[in-house]
């Protein structure tokens, strides 16, 4: 770190035997900040400790200055005012909040009513500035960082749901149970035509954010989400239920899709269809499969969604040679060599999955037929062997067994030889 000529770190001053942090306020925001210079005792005479503490203190000051420069949102401005009032109790928060409001009027004249009375937006901002209301939006960044246990794609969706919520409810006090219920019923369901399950997902994300604010940010209001999403008010017919479900592929579908992929010259997609059909594996399980987990007579799935999903899958005789060739020709350590390194969610099968979607759509298949339909078809073919194949099937495709005898007490005693025998009984040809 660059040091000043007199040997002190940047932003650090010595006064007698104590070090202070100091930062000049840019002229353009001195009127908002209320002072020309920030100064704070670091309460230490140790130069290294002073340097470390000063960087934290100055970092907060710089954030305040940047917010003062932008001044683009009333609630953000109000949070800034609270911080400024802590630094300078003489600040007239009411006047500055009104200045923030008039700044918005000048910037977006069509969006803000110019009246002689205080607007609801200004009232909320003033309430936040005076410490009477809790701002919701300012902690989303910290919340996102806390979601270390959540997959990236689910994290993005959760944060997006929370942003939708706080856009409507800028303060915790404005998010009453009745107001949220109206928002769900009028805006989300009626205007946006969102499904009940989607609304439940959004509210679940909001519950998680609210709990985070209670645990980490001193929010002391109870969650206002009780019964804000209406119950499903219609009974689905069997036809409607069937239309919403994924459907399985038949052997005729398999041959039709395989030929189309071959005609298109898409070698990886041809191989994916064959191996998916004869193993019952999910698309991403196959696309992320490394050659180290491919043996002479089996593949080892070790990154599945559940504990039951960690399994050895026998290779059907129909694909033994194909898999051996793919393993030998791999140039990047994956069985399906040459796929992109993954989309933003680290899924290697994303691009080839889209190619499959275009292929099946061109053949007239609906949204109910997806690559997962091969897995459903695999199950259907297994069922045709007989009821005794059920446990073998579950151990093969990685489904949890819920029965008392086989689910609770069994440790997975189906032998590999038994799975190999049964898997060779199915045929897509």
């Amino acid at each position: 770190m660059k040091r000043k000529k007199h040997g002190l770190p940047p932003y650090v001053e010595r006064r007698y035997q104590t070090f202070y942090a100091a930062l000049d306020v840019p002229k353009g925001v001195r009127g908002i900040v209320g002072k020309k210079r920030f100064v704070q005792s670091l309460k230490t005479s140790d130069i290294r400790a002073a340097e470390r503490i000063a960087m934290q203190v100055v970092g907060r000051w710089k954030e305040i200055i940047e917010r003062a420069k932008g001044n683009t949102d009333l609630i953000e401005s109000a949070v800034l005012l609270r911080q400024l009032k802590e630094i300078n109790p003489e600040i007239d928060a009411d006047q500055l909040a009104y200045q923030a409001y008039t700044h918005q009027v000048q910037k977006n004249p069509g969006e803000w009513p110019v009246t002689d009375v205080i607007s609801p937006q200004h009232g909320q901002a003033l309430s936040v500035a005076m410490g009477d209301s809790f701002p919701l939006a300012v902690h989303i960044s910290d919340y996102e960082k806390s979601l270390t246990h959540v997959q990236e794609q689910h994290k993005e969706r959760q944060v997006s749901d929370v942003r939708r919520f706080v856009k409507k409810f800028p303060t915790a006090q404005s998010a009453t149970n009745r107001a949220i219920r109206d928002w769900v019923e009028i805006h989300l369901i009626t205007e946006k035509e969102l499904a009940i399950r989607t609304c439940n997902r959004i509210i679940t994300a909001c519950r998680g954010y609210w709990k985070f604010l209670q645990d980490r940010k001193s929010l002391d209001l109870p969650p206002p989400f009780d019964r804000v999403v209406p119950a499903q008010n219609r009974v689905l017919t069997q036809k409607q239920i069937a239309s919403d479900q994924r459907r399985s592929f038949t052997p005729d579908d398999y041959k039709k899709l395989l030929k189309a992929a071959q005609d298109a010259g898409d070698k990886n997609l041809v191989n994916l269809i064959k191996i998916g059909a004869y193993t019952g594996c999910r698309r991403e399980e196959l696309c992320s499969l490394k050659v180290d987990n491919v043996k002479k007579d089996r593949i080892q799935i070790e990154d599945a969604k559940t504990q039951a999903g960690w399994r050895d899958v026998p290779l059907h005789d129909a694909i033994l040679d194909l898999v051996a060739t793919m393993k030998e020709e791999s140039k990047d350590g994956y069985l399906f060599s040459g796929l992109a390194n993954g989309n933003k969610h680290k899924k290697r099968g994303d691009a080839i999955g889209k190619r499959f979607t275009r292929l099946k759509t061109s053949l007239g298949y609906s949204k109910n037929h997806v690559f997962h339909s091969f897995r459903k078809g695999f199950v259907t073919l297994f069922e045709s062997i007989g009821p005794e194949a059920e446990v073998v099937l579950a151990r093969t495709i990685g489904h949890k067994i819920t029965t008392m005898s086989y689910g609770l007490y069994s440790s997975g005693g189906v032998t590999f030889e038994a799975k190999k025998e049964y898997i060779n009984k199915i045929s897509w040809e």
Side-chain angles (χ1 to χ4, degrees):
M1 179 181 290
K2 184 178 179 180
R3 297 181 180 274
K4 296 181 180 180
K5 292 182 179 180
H6 46 67
L8 292 177
Y11 314 116
V12 175
E13 296 179 353
R14 183 197 293 272
R15 298 186 181 182
Y16 301 103
Q17 299 301 314
T18 303
F19 291 106
Y20 285 73
L23 176 68
D24 291 330
V25 178
K27 291 183 179 180
V29 295
R30 288 177 182 175
I32 297 177
V33 174
K35 55 175 61 184
K36 296 180 179 180
R37 199 164 190 254
F38 288 117
V39 178
Q40 178 178 317
S41 172
L42 301 175
K43 299 180 180 180
T44 181
S45 58
D46 182 276
I47 183 64
R48 294 189 179 277
E51 182 177 8
R52 184 180 67 255
I53 300 170
M55 296 308 295
Q56 298 173 352
V57 173
V58 172
R60 290 195 296 270
W61 289 341
K62 288 183 175 180
E63 182 180 350
I64 290 173
I65 290 172
E66 287 304 310
R67 283 183 173 175
K69 287 179 180 178
N71 201 27
T72 57
D73 179 80
L74 280 178
I75 301 299
E76 281 285 335
S77 298
V79 173
L80 168 65
L81 295 179
R82 282 178 61 175
Q83 294 174 329
L84 294 177
K85 197 165 181 65
E86 292 174 2
I87 294 171
N88 184 2
E90 302 303 318
I91 284 179
D92 185 344
D94 183 39
Q95 179 61 29
L96 286 180
Y98 187 73
Q99 288 176 1
Y101 169 67
T102 55
H103 177 76
Q104 286 286 354
V105 172
Q106 295 168 359
K107 197 170 181 183
N108 304 294
E111 300 178 11
W112 300 86
V114 182
T115 64
D116 293 331
V117 297
I118 294 178
S119 71
Q121 293 90 349
H122 173 242
Q124 286 181 335
L126 180 58
S127 178
V128 170
M130 301 305 292
D132 297 328
S133 294
F134 188 97
L136 292 177
V138 295
H139 301 297
I140 291 180
S141 178
D142 290 343
Y143 173 63
E144 186 173 5
K145 293 175 184 176
S146 75
L147 299 175
T148 55
H149 61 291
V150 180
Q151 291 183 1
E152 194 64 31
Q153 65 189 85
H154 298 314
K155 180 194 296 188
E156 287 185 10
R157 188 166 62 185
Q158 282 182 232
V159 173
S160 176
D161 289 339
V162 170
R163 290 190 187 281
R164 182 200 291 259
F165 174 73
V166 303
K167 183 177 181 180
K168 174 65 179 178
F169 302 102
T171 66
Q173 285 71 15
S174 67
T176 64
N177 181 269
R178 180 53 188 266
I180 298 173
R181 199 184 329 153
D182 289 344
W183 175 64
V184 170
E185 293 180 355
I186 298 172
H187 179 69
L188 298 184
I189 297 177
T190 303
E191 296 178 0
K192 295 297 183 181
E193 299 182 348
L194 298 185
I196 295 295
R197 64 177 179 273
T198 303
C199 295
N200 278 318
R201 187 205 74 209
I202 292 171
I203 295 303
T204 297
C206 295
R207 287 181 188 274
Y209 183 52
W210 199 278
K211 187 176 188 307
F212 168 81
L213 296 176
Q214 288 179 308
D215 295 343
R216 307 275 189 90
K217 302 297 181 180
S218 303
L219 174 62
D220 59 1
L221 293 177
F225 305 105
D226 187 39
R227 298 181 182 178
V228 295
V229 180
Q232 184 66 267
N233 56 5
R234 64 187 179 94
V235 178
L236 295 178
T237 65
Q238 289 301 314
K239 183 177 180 180
Q240 289 170 323
I241 292 173
S243 69
D244 289 338
Q245 291 180 340
R246 289 174 176 173
R247 299 176 184 173
S248 62
F249 284 133
T250 66
D252 285 342
D253 295 322
Y254 166 79
K255 285 178 278 191
K256 184 178 179 180
L257 289 161
L258 188 62
K259 183 178 184 304
Q262 290 169 337
D263 291 345
D266 194 331
K267 183 179 179 180
N268 258 336
L269 186 53
V270 169
N271 294 341
L272 186 64
I273 290 173
K274 287 182 179 179
I275 298 175
Y278 276 103
T279 62
C281 289
R282 300 175 179 88
R283 185 198 74 196
E284 198 57 35
E285 287 177 338
L286 295 175
C287 291
S288 61
L289 185 64
K290 294 185 177 180
V291 294
D292 290 342
N293 295 108
V294 178
K295 309 305 177 183
K296 182 178 180 180
D297 58 355
R298 72 193 72 187
I299 57 176
Q300 298 171 326
I301 305 297
E302 297 183 348
D303 191 22
K305 298 191 296 184
T306 64
Q307 183 177 355
W310 290 63
R311 64 203 189 275
D312 284 357
V313 180
L315 292 174
H316 193 288
D317 288 347
I319 58 172
L320 273 174
D321 292 341
L322 170 63
V323 172
T325 300
M326 291 173 64
K327 180 178 180 179
E328 184 179 345
E329 294 178 351
S330 175
K331 294 180 173 57
D332 55 12
Y334 289 93
L335 181 65
F336 283 86
S337 184
L339 299 182
N341 290 328
N343 63 3
K344 61 182 179 180
H345 304 305
K346 311 298 183 185
K347 292 185 179 294
R348 295 187 78 247
D350 184 65
I352 195 171
K354 290 178 180 177
R355 298 206 302 273
F356 176 78
T357 298
R358 290 193 293 269
L359 180 75
K360 63 98 177 179
T361 301
S362 70
L363 296 175
Y365 289 98
S366 71
K367 65 178 181 180
N368 302 98
H369 282 102
V370 294
F371 188 82
H372 201 84
S373 296
F374 284 118
R375 184 172 169 88
K376 292 179 72 70
F378 180 89
V379 172
T380 302
L381 292 174
F382 235 96
E383 287 177 346
S384 66
I385 298 173
E388 74 279 2
E390 181 179 0
V391 174
V392 180
L393 170 65
R395 299 298 186 197
T396 302
I397 66 175
H399 276 177
K400 183 178 180 181
I401 300 174
T402 58
T403 59
M404 181 66 72
S405 299
Y406 293 127
L408 182 59
Y409 295 112
S410 173
S411 59
V414 176
T415 65
F416 177 81
E417 288 72 19
K419 290 192 288 184
K420 175 74 172 178
E421 177 186 352
Y422 274 89
I423 207 169
N424 270 330
K425 290 182 179 182
I426 72 169
S427 175
W428 288 87
E429 302 301 332

